[in-house]
Amino acid sequence: MNKLYFEKLSSFDRIKEPCRAAVPFPKGEVFDLENFAVADDNGQVLSQAEATAYWEDGSVKWALIDFLADLPGNKSKTYYCKAVKEKLKPDKIGVLLQGNTFTVDTGKLIVKLNRKGNIFNLIKSENIRFEEKNIKGPVLNGKYTAAVNEWEVVKEGPVTVILEGKGKHFDKDGNSLLDFIIDLEFFKDKEWFKIDYKILNLEKSDFVEIKSLNIDFRKKSINNIKTCIAKSNYKTDFTVGEKDDSLYYEIDAKHLIYEANEHFPEVFYGTFFADWNDGEGGICTTLFQAYQNYPKAFKVDKSGISAEIVPKNSKIEFLRGMAKTHTIFLHLHSGKITKEELNVRSLQFQMPDRPCLDTKTYVDAKIFPDIFLDKSERVEEYEMAFVHRMDVRGKAYGILNWGDVPDMHYTKQGRGNGELVWVNNEYDFPHTAMLMYVRTGYRRMLDYMLVSARHWLDVDICRCSDDECRLFGQIEHSARHVSGKIEISHEWVDGLFDYYHVTGDKFAYASAIGIGNNIKRNLKQPRYNKEGEINARETGWALRALVTLYKETNDESWLEDADFIIGHFKSWKDRYGLWLAPYTDHVAIRVPFMISIAVVSLMRYYEIRPNIELKNMILEAVDDMIENCVLDCGLFYYKEMPSLKRNGNNTTVLEALTSAYRLTGRRKYLEAGIKTFTEYMREKSGNYSGDKYEKDGAVIVSGQSTKGIAQSFMPVASFYSAIVKEGIRI
């Protein structure tokens, strides 16, 4: 039985609120989710479950559970996920294919979708009806209208159903511009639904300029029309119109620069919605994280609402291979509802209730590496340092930037030729955020993961290229996000799988597989087939990705390429007697960073395929590093040359030392890393309110880049866990 804990959030009761939880299970414990249910002390609630990953014996590794929770205002609440003798088995939400339309009936809302062409055929509730002629768009650049080509039911059950459509935008002459994927999620007995609308640039040109992108809901009525645009930071500000009033509001860079906001914006910034009401019924449209993804705008008048996903007269260069997802909530309601009631629902969309699991649930399932401590074992000084680094990192607002951050070291080095150099989630910051969520139970860590992973999926993966070695690869740190190269030393997948397990978004799963296949293609290139000359950092990180892909899919083909990399590690060692790095034309030197990457990568493989040869390779490398790479001060040097033998500050050595300790139980490996660990923990890393400024189409909040946080987290956390359990007190 797993506890699902909801912290106190809204002041208002939420009745049958749709909620979602990703629950891991130990190997061999659960083989069938048919009788898994969610319940509180009063009994079962309506739920549905699906497996998102399996152990190699066929048992469920991850389950995604949707349920309807009754959550009290101003109180916390606990539910439980458990096997029951007899589960509630109501009918699934109705999805009917009839003629040229799909019809979804939630019990409170009916939506008809055209099988081909315009997306919506009908949206209606008890109080209001919008036919195809009343719904326009999404429309790109004023003339290209989204036309769906195919639909698929990707999720269905008694709680929620998701339909996914794919297509392109066409003008009246049949010319097309940009592909799209649209996911529509509906909920049992709710008169509102969610739209995830993803545009993809698969065109041949270098970029497409997006000048506008909007979806309109317009309807003639003889009644007195009431309109509203609402925006919030602390309290919601309503601008109300009547009769012939036309309301408009745009969120732009100046809004972000000059408005103070104390929230962790990944969790919440404010809400932004527009409402149209003719007294009998109305429609309220909310743009999710509108401030964070500026520019955004609403126009509302007596004829309806225009939701400007990209406001008119914008000039956004949407580069080839990019994608971008926009989330919209549509709420059909009675004419008697108040703007305050609409505001509560809109705020709930912006900051939904998310249940939290105990850390022990993940530890018992053995889903993640052994980096977790019981509360009684934790050293609060270090725990606070981990959290502080996550919270005070830099941030960036903007439609193509939200979820990423520029690295000022790269930028000042001139790598962007004067432009900001974006991290592109280097070293897998989303996975770091997920591990911190598991470690702390702090909801904001989960939101950090969700936001950064979504940016990664949209912007940092090449979706279109004439070069197969670039296609579906993760682009390394670069100006404008996508100007960089594809290097297998800069491709990760753990955070994408985390996102998939938590959300069920199959686009994330497919993207992780795409990165894996990109690594496979690149490994066939001549540069990776020169015996003994392979670069440890490049292939080491690739090996980690391949091992993760195997663990997630149980597909042995990923290990074939892993074995290829290990063969090169062996040849590299045989050639030099050690893992030395050719540097200038006349030296081959020890580089603790490179050696450590080799060690920790091989350790990942060893954990699934242990053998004595790998163990000896790891231990010989770490022993040599301790003997030859430690300075008198106790730190490992940077590189083994008189011109470079300065104090090293790369924490990767800590994970290498921890690996050797776990293979042997020998305390000496931990003692060798104490200086590196303590120096890292003493570093100051900024405060909560960084300076804001505008550059390169982004509003930047200064702070440490996510690269340093993500690179150091696993080495430091694994070392910290090991020294505590060994009884070493610093």
Side-chain angles (χ1 to χ4, degrees):
M1 183 167 66
N2 294 303
K3 184 170 70 172
L4 306 175
Y5 174 74
F6 290 89
E7 63 183 306
K8 181 178 81 69
L9 185 56
S10 176
S11 298
F12 300 88
D13 292 345
R14 285 84 75 210
I15 306 302
K16 292 182 169 40
E17 184 71 17
C19 298
R20 180 168 289 159
V23 181
F25 296 102
K27 180 179 176 181
E29 182 176 289
V30 176
F31 286 87
D32 188 357
L33 294 171
E34 185 66 24
N35 288 322
F36 258 81
V38 175
D40 63 6
D41 294 337
N42 297 317
Q44 287 186 52
V45 297
L46 203 60
S47 66
Q48 66 187 68
E50 63 176 314
T52 58
Y54 295 90
W55 294 100
E56 59 269 28
D57 65 353
S59 60
V60 176
K61 181 186 285 188
W62 279 101
L64 190 64
I65 301 175
D66 289 276
F67 59 103
L68 298 179
D70 290 336
L71 303 173
N74 276 333
K75 291 182 181 179
S76 61
K77 180 70 181 282
T78 298
Y79 280 90
Y80 299 92
C81 168
K82 59 183 181 180
V84 295
K85 291 183 179 180
E86 188 172 349
K87 183 178 178 180
L88 296 174
K89 295 183 179 179
D91 293 336
K92 296 178 180 179
I93 295 173
V95 181
L96 176 65
L97 172 58
Q98 190 173 28
N100 292 320
T101 61
F102 279 95
T103 301
V104 180
D105 186 350
T106 71
K108 295 286 187 179
L109 181 75
I110 292 177
V111 176
K112 288 188 176 182
L113 306 167
N114 292 315
R115 292 184 69 181
K116 302 282 185 181
N118 292 338
I119 293 169
F120 294 103
N121 179 276
L122 174 71
I123 303 174
K124 74 169 185 175
S125 67
E126 180 183 355
N127 305 290
I128 195 165
R129 177 188 185 98
F130 286 86
E131 298 179 357
E132 185 171 357
K133 63 183 180 181
N134 306 124
I135 307 167
K136 185 178 180 182
V139 179
L140 173 67
N141 287 353
K143 63 178 182 177
Y144 297 92
T145 302
V148 72
N149 185 52
E150 58 179 316
W151 286 101
E152 178 186 1
V153 180
V154 297
K155 187 184 187 78
E156 59 180 331
V159 175
T160 181
V161 62
I162 300 176
L163 277 77
E164 182 172 275
K166 295 180 180 179
K168 292 180 74 75
H169 304 81
F170 291 91
D171 68 9
K172 62 182 180 180
D173 297 320
N175 301 307
S176 66
L177 187 67
L178 298 186
D179 290 66
F180 73 87
I181 301 172
I182 188 166
D183 285 358
L184 307 176
E185 183 167 13
F186 304 91
F187 307 93
K188 177 70 173 177
D189 290 333
K190 302 302 180 186
E191 57 184 6
W192 35 261
F193 67 102
K194 184 180 80 166
I195 303 171
D196 275 344
Y197 166 63
K198 188 191 309 292
I199 56 174
L200 303 96
N201 186 357
L202 309 182
E203 308 296 319
K204 291 293 185 182
S205 56
D206 291 340
F207 68 90
V208 170
E209 187 173 76
I210 299 180
K211 302 174 183 177
S212 66
L213 182 60
N214 58 283
I215 182 168
D216 295 358
F217 303 91
R218 303 213 166 268
K219 185 177 178 66
K220 291 182 180 180
S221 176
I222 61 174
N223 298 333
N224 290 325
I225 306 299
K226 293 183 179 180
T227 58
C228 173
I229 291 180
K231 53 190 181 296
S232 75
N233 179 342
Y234 170 55
K235 293 287 189 179
T236 300
D237 176 34
F238 301 95
T239 303
V240 177
E242 295 183 0
K243 296 182 180 179
D244 294 331
D245 290 341
S246 178
L247 308 179
Y248 182 82
Y249 193 84
E250 178 178 342
I251 297 171
D252 57 14
K254 288 183 179 179
H255 190 115
L256 274 296
I257 289 285
Y258 296 116
E259 179 178 78
N261 191 295
E262 66 178 0
H263 298 287
F264 293 110
E266 294 85 357
V267 184
F268 181 74
Y269 186 106
T271 196
F272 188 49
F273 71 85
D275 184 62
W276 181 93
N277 186 337
D278 72 355
E280 294 182 2
I283 184 169
C284 182
T285 306
T286 299
L287 294 175
F288 179 65
Q289 295 194 342
Y291 302 88
Q292 298 93 315
N293 287 284
Y294 85 89
K296 293 285 179 286
F298 276 118
K299 179 182 179 181
V300 56
D301 54 32
K302 64 180 182 180
S303 67
I305 294 172
S306 179
E308 298 188 6
I309 300 166
V310 178
K312 292 179 181 178
N313 301 315
S314 297
K315 293 183 179 180
I316 295 174
E317 289 191 356
F318 194 50
L319 277 69
R320 188 184 189 197
M322 279 185 174
K324 177 60 188 180
T325 305
H326 312 273
T327 298
I328 306 164
F329 298 102
L330 290 183
H331 181 185
L332 275 64
H333 56 78
S334 77
K336 296 180 180 179
I337 198 169
T338 67
K339 65 181 185 297
E340 288 78 15
E341 290 173 300
L342 291 173
N343 184 42
V344 169
R345 173 45 54 189
S346 185
L347 289 165
Q348 184 73 24
F349 285 140
Q350 295 285 2
M351 186 168 54
D353 292 280
R354 300 194 193 280
C356 179
L357 282 67
D358 288 335
T359 301
K360 189 175 184 300
T361 300
Y362 301 96
V363 172
D364 290 347
K366 297 183 179 178
I367 291 289
F368 296 121
D370 181 16
I371 61 169
F372 307 106
L373 296 169
D374 293 335
K375 288 186 178 180
S376 61
E377 297 176 309
R378 297 173 188 170
V379 181
E380 288 307 317
E381 176 187 354
Y382 300 148
E383 298 293 338
M384 290 167 60
F386 283 128
V387 171
H388 185 70
R389 280 185 168 83
M390 295 292 290
D391 287 342
V392 303
R393 72 190 192 285
K395 295 178 176 64
Y397 298 106
I399 193 168
L400 296 178
N401 307 307
W402 175 238
D404 201 0
V405 64
D407 187 287
M408 299 316 296
H409 293 294
Y410 286 155
T411 301
K412 291 176 181 178
Q413 289 169 1
R415 298 193 188 198
N417 294 318
E419 294 184 80
L420 293 171
V421 176
W422 296 89
V423 172
N424 289 5
N425 281 292
E426 186 176 355
Y427 288 101
D428 201 344
F429 177 75
H431 188 51
T432 295
M434 183 66 185
L435 293 174
M436 280 297 295
Y437 171 65
V438 172
R439 185 183 201 90
T440 64
Y442 296 164
R443 182 251 177 79
R444 66 182 181 275
M445 300 297 164
L446 178 60
D447 285 307
Y448 292 169
M449 184 277 285
L450 294 172
V451 169
S452 56
R454 189 160 178 171
H455 169 89
W456 178 5
L457 285 167
D458 280 347
V459 178
D460 299 339
I461 295 173
C462 178
R463 304 285 171 188
C464 179
S465 178
D466 298 325
D467 179 359
E468 68 170 7
C469 288
R470 191 172 178 81
L471 192 61
F472 303 121
Q474 181 178 350
I475 301 165
E476 71 174 8
H477 48 265
S478 57
R480 308 177 78 194
H481 300 282
V482 298
S483 65
K485 298 179 292 184
I486 300 288
E487 297 283 0
I488 63 173
S489 59
H490 287 71
E491 298 193 274
W492 293 268
V493 296
D494 292 81
L496 297 180
F497 284 120
D498 293 335
Y499 184 85
Y500 167 62
H501 296 313
V502 168
T503 65
D505 185 349
K506 292 179 174 59
F507 190 75
Y509 183 90
S511 297
I513 300 299
I515 287 175
N517 287 328
N518 177 271
I519 291 172
K520 281 174 170 278
R521 289 193 295 273
N522 274 283
L523 282 172
K524 293 178 182 178
Q525 299 305 303
R527 61 181 293 196
Y528 295 111
N529 285 272
K530 297 178 181 179
E531 186 173 299
E533 295 182 20
I534 201 156
N535 184 300
R537 184 178 68 171
E538 293 188 20
T539 57
W541 291 122
L543 180 59
R544 291 174 71 137
L546 294 169
V547 168
T548 296
L549 285 157
Y550 166 73
K551 290 167 69 176
E552 288 285 342
T553 65
N554 301 310
D555 183 348
E556 292 281 344
S557 68
W558 298 113
L559 295 187
E560 294 173 7
D561 290 275
D563 290 338
F564 170 81
I565 292 172
I566 288 170
H568 275 282
F569 276 122
K570 293 176 181 177
S571 298
W572 177 27
K573 184 175 182 298
D574 289 343
R575 178 170 183 174
Y576 294 103
L578 299 165
W579 283 331
L580 301 180
Y583 192 67
T584 63
D585 292 336
H586 69 306
V587 298
I589 60 175
R590 293 179 175 89
V591 181
F593 174 54
M594 296 289 190
I595 296 168
S596 296
I597 288 176
V599 167
V600 300
S601 301
L602 290 178
M603 187 67 180
R604 296 293 178 93
Y605 184 89
Y606 178 87
E607 288 170 347
I608 61 169
R609 290 287 190 274
N611 69 72
I612 191 64
E613 184 179 14
L614 281 185
K615 178 180 178 179
N616 289 337
M617 285 176 65
I618 290 170
L619 294 177
E620 287 173 13
V622 176
D623 285 338
D624 177 75
M625 193 166 61
I626 292 174
E627 182 178 351
N628 294 290
C629 301
V630 180
L631 298 168
D632 291 342
C633 65
L635 292 173
F636 289 79
Y637 57 60
Y638 174 51
K639 291 181 179 179
E640 190 188 29
M641 286 185 70
S643 56
L644 295 169
K645 199 176 284 188
R646 61 176 184 262
N647 292 346
N649 61 355
N650 196 293
T651 55
T652 310
V653 296
L654 296 176
E655 192 172 357
L657 294 168
T658 306
S659 298
Y661 166 74
R662 287 182 172 154
L663 288 172
T664 65
R666 295 173 188 163
R667 190 181 175 104
K668 71 170 188 176
Y669 294 113
L670 299 180
E671 291 172 341
I674 288 174
K675 184 67 173 179
T676 299
F677 175 77
T678 55
E679 286 299 305
Y680 175 80
M681 284 301 188
R682 288 190 186 118
E683 289 178 6
K684 303 299 181 184
S685 54
N687 54 51
Y688 293 106
S689 55
D691 297 332
K692 289 190 292 186
Y693 60 96
E694 184 182 4
K695 182 175 173 61
D696 296 347
V699 171
I700 310 299
V701 181
S702 60
Q704 184 181 2
S705 103
T706 54
K707 174 205 169 186
I709 297 167
Q711 183 183 14
S712 295
F713 176 76
M714 183 57 70
V716 176
S718 60
F719 184 85
Y720 162 50
S721 174
I723 62 173
V724 169
K725 291 176 180 178
E726 179 63 22
I728 298 175
R729 297 295 177 183
I730 301 173

